[in-house]
Amino acid sequence: MSDLRDLYQEVILDHGKAPRNFGHPSGANRTAHGHNAMCGDTIDVFLTVDGEGRIADAAFEGQGCAISVASASMMTEMLKGKTQADAHHLFEAMHALCTGHEDEADLANLDEDTADRMQILAGVRQYPMRVKCATLAWHTMDKAMNHTAKQDVSV
Amino acid sequence: MTLATVDAIHRARRINGFDVERVRGDFPILARKVHGKPLVYLDSAASAQKPRAVIEAMSRFYEEDYANIHRGVHFLSQRSTDAFETARAKVARFINAAKADEIIFTRNATESINLVAQSWGRKNLGPGDEIVLTELEHHANIVPWQMLRAEKGFEIKVAPIDDTGQIQLDDMAKLIGPRTRLVAVSHMSNALGTILPVREIVRMARAQGALILIDGCQAAVHKQIDVQALDADFYAFSGHKLYGPSGIGVLYGKYALLEAMPPYQGGGDMIDRVTFARTTFKEPPHRFEAGTPAIAEAIGLAAAIDYLAELGQSFIADHEDDVLAYATERLAAIDGLTIHGTAAEKGAILSFTIAGAHAHDVATILDQQGVAVRAGHHCAHPLMDRLGVTATARASFALYSTRAEADALTDAIGAVKRIFKL
């Protein structure tokens, strides 16, 4: 049970229950659809990238477990104001953390709050069957970021 | 406890016909712990655990009698061939087929259905033809037909379910008509536990001259199957759900139908005579078993069938009904929990959702307490769409399941509610 409290921390339960940035902003100009074939979770990520290449707005819609919804919700909060390169860096760090390659996750350049939140999400690495729940939103975001036409992602 | 008391308990168990604690001792894996907790295995509908009798029969076969079948004249090849064909005969008796040659060994039930689609379907279905499925089918009884439809251009009709998860015969009757060539239905839903009125469905199909394929993956585990009484044309099931090994499945087909069907895979062991100009094929069932089959797995499946016969299938069914009724009562009493599948005729499956907790979170939390359930779409996307959910948690019960395990499930759901503050 104590292990489970690490996975289902207050912040995860909170974001899972009341996700932030949930919806489809009309100005979104980068979007991708993500799908986890194993469990049926789906997500649409909507990014609004401004003229200087910064993420002015990030939002999502979708259905999934507490981990996947919380991960998407926390991700959208972290993305606002980031450049495309920053966003890709976050994706790589998240992926490394969740797959047990902490040494490859370059967290040094991240602010403390972002690094802490990523570590909380990465608690999922103790549950290999659930890693994709946490990473689906991030894969989808990374794909959206790199294309102006709508993308499909399967994990 | 006095000897007289012990004797009385034993007598009571014999009268009851089924001693679940003794039976559990036959399954070595049930003694193990998971995350430091005793294993409560409630995922038998995905795959059942194996009794020692099956494990040992396969080991013994490998240690004493193994060789390839239908090929060598040597001693071991003969032993192996005999054991394989004896297993076929045993499967035939298990479902009361008219003869052993009506039993085709496949990899699993999925392959059994694909065999019918690719052999019978490819030859017999075309534009203007219709087949009828139901809304609760497993993907294994949907996708093979869609793949063939893309090539052959026939139509697929789908019988709806009602809110209890049962098929309404009136709806079925509207869909089965003169164009219907095949009705392919599950005998028991893997996701809901619903037992379908297959006898009536067979009669409807017959009245319109259509063939009937029954996916018996779940039903063969919980009910005594008599393919002749059912008058099924094809009946498919798998070994691994029946306490046998994975890697072996069964397709029963009426012999006259099998005789008229072309092979769907070519290779060794299925031919009569090969020249580069032309090849002739063996009679069924060998025509449909190209290449070296799952030999030890057939022996294992036969051992599982012997084991079930020894326990008595009707005793097993009574025991499972008891555990299902008890578990249903316990879960129904939980606030915020919805049971999906409430048909009057049900096998030992309980599908549920908890308001405020996704099925995957539920399954992870249960797992940490040693309780193994399946969470997800159960390979039945159309059914999940009909239920309006993306996933359910599913507890499935087997001959070794107990009321105490239903209690453990209930307690573990309590932990879900505590963690999610529900």
Side-chain angles (χ1 to χ4, degrees), chain A residues 1 3-5 7-8 10 13 17 37-41 63-67 127 130 133, chain B residues 37 356 358 360-362 364-365 368-369 375-377 381 390-391 415 418-422:
Chain A
M1 291 293 282
D3 294 347
L4 280 168
R5 302 264 180 214
L7 179 63
Y8 293 106
E10 199 60 48
L13 293 176
K17 236 177 233 174
M38 194 194 92
C39 65
D41 285 1
Q63 283 187 314
C65 59
I67 309 292
Y127 304 83
R130 305 298 303 281
C133 306
Chain B
K37 309 274 169 55
H358 190 277
H360 286 104
D361 297 315
V362 172
T364 293
I365 295 170
Q368 289 297 309
Q369 289 157 95
H377 48 65
H381 285 160
T390 50
R418 279 195 300 282
I419 287 172
F420 274 78
K421 302 186 177 63
L422 300 171

Side-chain angles (χ1 to χ4, degrees), chain B residues 187 198-199 202 206 212 214 225-232 235:
Chain B
H187 196 165
V198 284
R199 276 170 192 267
V202 170
R206 232 14 112 227
I212 178 113
I214 300 174
I225 304 301
D226 183 334
V227 287
Q228 293 189 76
L230 278 175
D231 191 24
Y235 198 95

